[in-house]
Amino acid sequence: MNKTLLIARSEYLRRVLTKGFVLGVLLAPVGMVLLIALPLLTSLISSDDGERRVAVLDESGQLYQAVAEAVPERFAVERAAAPLDSLRAQVLDERLDMAIVLPPSLLTGTGDATAYTRAGGGLAQFDDIRSGVRDAVRGVRLREVGAPAEVQAVLDERPGLQSVTVTDDGDAADGAFVASAIGYVSGFVIYFLVFIYGAMVMRGVIEEKQNRIVEVMASSVRPFELLMGKVLGIGAVGLTQIALWTALGAVVLAALGPLLAAFAGPPAAAGPGAPPADLPFDVGAITALLTPGFLLILVLCFLGGYLFYAALFAAVGSAVEQESDAQALTIPVTLPAIVPMLFLFPMLEQPDSSLSVVLSILPPFSTVLLPVRVAVTDVPFWQIALSLGLLAAAFVGAIWVAARVYRVGILMYGKKATFRDLAKWVRTA
Amino acid sequence: MALALRLENVTKRYDKTLAVDDVSFTAEPGRLFGLLGPNGAGKSSTIRMITNITTPDSGSVTLGGEPVGPASQARMGYLPEERGLYKKMKVGEQLVYLAQLKGLAAPDAERAVREWLERFGAADWYGKPVGDLSKGMQQKVQFVSTVAHDPELCIFDEPFSGLDPLNAEVLQETIVDLRARGKTVVFASHRMEQVERLCDDLCLISAGRVVLRGTLPEVKGRYGRDTATVEFDGADGWIDRLVEAGAMRVLSRSNGRAELRLGPGTRPNDVLGAALAAGVEVSQFGLHAPPLTEIFRMAVEAGESAPPAEPVPAP
């Protein structure tokens, strides 16, 4: 067997056949889901933590009944008998959660209601009280001016906005939202995977140098074979992870789709504090976007970006003896990688601006931004081809430079290498 | 298939330092070749060129008449002074991997690795991670990695460092056995007593240059039998008196035993006479060539005082 392949296979198996890898593949998505679901869950839980006692000091004399009816049920509303000072004291020693003062000026449209609470009450409660007070004031005033019930009904309506994306294949409901979300997630996933696996290459190189096995390896294979074997082996680990995630995602989506639909189906099921009855996206819209072509671009961008950064990371790793020494040298590698993250939102908003077009073609930024742009807009084929072609040229160049640094660096011990040294190694190697 | 290793006028420069300066020697099959020198003399730089990790700036390194390269790498085994293995890999898996990189097919590699581990009484380490082994055990594993692919040329850099006497003995027997099987063995060390015990030929380098070269008897023969070993019972004040008089130098001295290098005008009888006159009981008195350590010291000093390498006859 070819030595590069032998090395790649060993590097691959050494990493994939570990509990850490299996756990990482399984737990990372679980962690991500938890990260999204946890705030939702806690808000559900915290809304059930008993009633909030609210005293209403109605100085207008006309609003109490309407407010008491308009605020959600989890507020236990009572009419305040005491003056404001004593209400404040009750809030302080926790006999009350909130005191609301409704001044007469509310009825003339010139004043504001005031809510007194202890620190740390959370913002959601104010939203509920605010809209309750608004509805109550509006209702009382409408009645006062003698507005007909039809006007009141019209004002109570809450029409929504449905988004539909028009494509050659037909209309897709909620397309814009889903496309942005997918573009955003794709950009992040590529960014993280490229970095996780690039850094893994660097650690591998440092480890070989640190425990001195590199001397034995160099007496058996050419440094370039060792470098490429390692880069390809670890890249294959990354691809395995992507493949497993895709498979896992497909299974979860297939299983969860009907479940979500059932959950969202009967609007009556949505209790207070539950997510809005209509989900902000359509499961069908996701699957419509995740075409084989898009997935192929995703994989190619990961591979291109990975090869580019992994080569540079390997060069840095070969120049140091400990991971802690690598920090200063990795900055020039990691800094340009942050750039696409800064342009992620402008790219989602204006995917066809000339800046977006350039960034999606220019390596190494294109590794993150091309998939983002492809997700949210129709990118001409020539731009995709040019972008991937330039990316290929960039990683070939990066590997060429890295190989020259690497073959000198792995045998250097003792002194800390500087950029000047690295530049010299590239010239003289 | 026996392959001689030949270096001709090999020079290697790093930046401005001349690490290896016009070094030539030949290591013959079936013989143990000692490459000696103090730390920083250029031993490791020389070995790196032999193993084709680096290439000489000028001169040539050949194995069996062919310039070293990827093909010759497969026929060499190299045990570096700084040992290292993949800590998380299992012993067997790692050894098979390293042997495969030397060109062995997987089944052959596995068979050879099992045989060698068996020979070192380490068969049950096969499935253990290297990091779980003791340092001495790891040394043995690394030794196996050097010889498992049955190389024609074996290079051992300080093979015994860090080994207990028992394990050193096992290793030494194995090295002698490799020589008996017609392998070319290069042994780099600064531990002279080991070299003296094992090597057939030696080459001493200092500051990148060859300062001494030849077979062991040849090298020793160049110095007279001017060293005396005395074993005695009693006070050793007579030694100090002779040293103060400039008649000799003490090479080593312990309770009741001394190794003495006689000065130019000093006869062995003078030493023995002084000992007897001091009233000590002499149980043994022997004359021999200076130990290699002493020859090493003189050669290095001579090399430093006379910059152009002294002409030495090729072995």
Side-chain angles (χ1 to χ4, degrees):
Chain A
M1 202 194 301
N2 177 308
K3 282 182 186 172
T4 306
L5 285 182
L6 255 175
I7 295 167
R9 198 189 62 162
S10 174
E11 295 280 346
Y12 175 79
L13 292 178
R14 234 182 289 159
R15 286 175 173 81
V16 168
L17 300 179
T18 59
K19 290 186 207 95
F21 178 77
V22 176
L23 282 180
V25 165
L26 290 180
L27 290 186
V30 172
M32 266 190 257
V33 168
L34 276 184
L35 216 62
I36 297 166
L38 220 54
L40 213 69
L41 273 173
T42 50
S43 81
L44 277 175
I45 291 165
S46 68
S47 67
D48 291 338
D49 69 346
E51 292 180 326
R52 289 170 178 272
R53 285 150 304 159
V54 178
V56 177
L57 183 60
D58 186 8
E59 294 170 347
S60 71
Q62 299 178 42
L63 284 165
Y64 173 75
Q65 201 53 43
V67 168
E69 282 164 13
V71 299
E73 281 169 30
R74 62 196 171 96
F75 296 96
V77 184
E78 61 183 57
R79 190 188 284 275
L84 181 57
D85 283 352
S86 102
L87 289 181
R88 287 179 57 128
Q90 287 182 43
V91 168
L92 260 184
D93 58 21
E94 299 187 18
R95 273 177 293 160
L96 275 180
D97 291 305
M98 185 187 285
I100 300 172
V101 177
L102 305 172
S105 55
L106 276 175
L107 291 174
T108 58
T110 54
D112 287 328
T114 310
Y116 297 86
T117 60
R118 287 182 300 280
L123 289 174
Q125 56 177 350
F126 293 114
D127 279 342
D128 290 338
I129 295 293
R130 182 186 296 119
S131 59
V133 171
R134 260 182 207 162
D135 288 350
V137 170
R138 187 185 292 150
V140 168
R141 291 189 64 193
L142 281 171
R143 225 180 311 123
E144 238 170 38
V145 298
E150 290 82 13
V151 173
Q152 199 147 353
V154 166
L155 285 172
D156 284 344
E157 275 165 16
R158 295 270 186 278
L161 176 68
Q162 302 278 338
S163 104
V164 174
T165 308
V166 182
T167 68
D168 294 338
D169 305 329
D171 297 354
D174 303 316
F177 178 84
V178 172
S180 291
I182 287 184
Y184 183 77
V185 170
S186 309
F188 256 96
V189 167
I190 288 208
Y191 174 79
F192 278 117
L193 285 181
V194 161
F195 265 79
I196 287 169
Y197 286 98
M200 198 183 276
V201 169
M202 183 176 79
R203 271 201 305 281
V205 170
I206 294 175
E207 187 202 348
E208 276 177 352
K209 199 176 162 182
Q210 209 167 25
N211 66 21
R212 306 274 178 163
I213 192 156
V214 72
E215 183 110 8
V216 173
M217 297 300 282
S219 75
S220 298
V221 300
R222 290 189 299 141
F224 187 73
E225 292 171 321
L226 184 54
L227 172 67
M228 287 316 289
K230 184 174 284 294
V231 166
L232 294 178
I234 294 178
V237 179
L239 283 181
T240 305
Q241 179 150 18
I242 292 179
L244 288 176
W245 276 355
T246 308
L248 212 64
V251 169
V252 167
L253 216 62
L256 223 60
L259 210 70
L260 282 175
F263 181 63
D278 49 337
L279 281 176
F281 60 88
D282 174 6
V283 175
I286 298 181
T287 41
L289 258 167
L290 294 179
T291 58
F294 179 71
L295 290 177
L296 181 68
I297 288 175
L298 217 60
V299 167
L300 289 178
C301 282
F302 162 73
L303 271 187
Y306 164 77
L307 288 173
F308 179 84
Y309 283 111
L312 296 182
F313 270 121
V316 168
S318 75
V320 300
E321 279 168 62
Q322 288 170 24
E323 221 177 316
S324 55
D325 294 340
Q327 221 107 67
L329 292 177
T330 46
I331 287 172
V333 181
T334 51
L335 219 51
I338 297 171
V339 171
M341 303 319 281
L342 302 177
F343 286 100
L344 217 102
F345 281 106
M347 178 70 91
L348 288 172
E349 287 302 314
Q350 292 185 300
D352 292 320
S353 73
S354 40
L355 178 71
S356 294
V357 172
V358 168
L359 283 175
S360 72
I361 290 177
L362 201 68
F365 312 127
S366 53
T367 56
V368 169
L369 294 178
L370 179 65
V372 173
R373 197 161 158 250
V374 170
V376 292
T377 187
D378 279 328
V379 181
F381 178 76
W382 70 267
Q383 287 183 7
I384 296 177
L386 178 63
S387 175
L388 291 175
L390 285 178
L391 186 58
F395 76 66
V396 168
I399 289 171
W400 184 83
V401 169
R404 292 172 84 86
V405 172
Y406 181 81
R407 57 191 258 205
V408 181
I410 50 171
L411 298 173
M412 284 282 178
Y413 287 98
K415 64 168 190 177
K416 266 191 196 176
T418 61
F419 279 112
R420 194 187 299 250
D421 293 327
L422 298 200
K424 199 176 72 191
W425 297 350
V426 172
R427 282 199 308 274
T428 58
Chain B
M1 185 175 57
L3 304 174
L5 169 74
R6 184 185 291 276
L7 274 74
E8 279 174 286
N9 310 105
V10 169
T11 299
K12 180 76 182 176
R13 190 183 286 278
Y14 290 108
D15 275 339
K16 285 170 190 84
T17 46
L18 198 53
V20 177
D21 183 6
D22 198 28
V23 164
S24 305
F25 62 75
T26 304
E28 301 284 354
R31 291 179 75 85
L32 250 162
F33 184 90
L35 182 63
L36 320 174
N39 291 329
K43 293 194 300 279
S44 293
S45 298
T46 305
I47 291 174
R48 278 184 173 177
M49 287 185 280
I50 297 172
T51 51
N52 195 39
I53 295 174
T54 57
T55 47
D57 295 339
S58 64
S60 69
V61 183
T62 55
L63 182 66
E66 300 281 326
V68 292
S72 69
Q73 278 187 333
R75 284 180 275 174
M76 296 180 189
Y78 170 37
L79 180 75
E81 180 178 2
E82 301 273 5
R83 310 293 148 73
L85 293 164
Y86 293 106
K87 295 266 183 289
K88 285 181 193 147
M89 262 177 117
K90 293 186 176 121
V91 171
E93 185 191 354
Q94 171 142 231
L95 288 172
V96 169
Y97 173 50
L98 292 174
Q100 280 183 286
L101 288 179
K102 288 291 191 185
L104 254 59
D108 298 340
E110 194 179 326
R111 197 176 317 117
V113 165
R114 286 195 188 276
E115 270 173 28
W116 274 102
L117 287 177
E118 191 81 41
R119 177 168 178 175
F120 283 144
D124 52 334
W125 299 354
Y126 197 89
K128 279 189 188 166
V130 172
D132 288 1
L133 301 180
S134 75
K135 210 151 184 211
M137 290 162 140
Q138 289 189 24
Q139 291 249 52
K140 277 192 187 173
V141 172
Q142 183 128 31
F143 186 86
V144 172
S145 80
T146 313
V147 293
H149 57 292
D150 195 28
E152 291 305 313
L153 170 64
C154 301
I155 302 157
F156 303 113
D157 198 349
E158 303 288 359
F160 304 116
S161 73
L163 280 183
D164 62 66
L166 225 64
N167 278 320
E169 184 72 28
V170 174
L171 225 63
Q172 188 178 319
E173 275 169 20
T174 313
I175 292 174
V176 169
D177 180 52
L178 288 170
R179 168 175 64 183
R181 284 168 50 207
K183 309 294 185 191
T184 308
V185 183
V186 173
F187 179 114
S189 183
H190 61 266
R191 301 278 300 278
M192 293 306 146
E193 71 285 0
Q194 285 168 357
V195 176
E196 203 157 2
R197 212 167 52 231
L198 283 173
C199 290
D200 303 304
D201 307 300
L202 52 89
C203 171
L204 172 61
I205 57 176
S206 169
R209 293 182 192 183
V210 176
V211 291
L212 198 61
R213 190 173 60 186
T215 65
L216 185 66
E218 219 173 63
V219 166
K220 292 207 109 174
R222 266 180 239 157
Y223 299 84
R225 293 160 64 85
D226 61 356
T227 304
T229 301
V230 193
E231 284 181 23
F232 59 97
D233 199 12
D236 58 1
W238 59 275
I239 296 177
D240 298 319
R241 284 195 290 280
L242 279 176
V243 171
E244 274 162 35
M248 62 180 201
R249 284 194 311 110
V250 176
L251 300 183
S252 70
R253 180 176 183 173
S254 59
N255 202 11
R257 190 178 188 281
E259 198 171 23
L260 308 165
R261 185 94 194 280
L262 310 186
T266 313
R267 291 173 305 144
N269 273 356
D270 300 340
V271 178
L272 187 55
L276 293 173
V280 300
E281 192 81 22
V282 175
S283 58
Q284 214 168 76
F285 186 88
L287 264 189
H288 49 84
L292 211 47
T293 319
E294 184 65 6
I295 293 176
F296 181 113
R297 192 186 60 77
M298 287 187 292
V300 170
E301 274 173 11
E304 276 164 5
S305 60
E310 61 184 34
V312 266

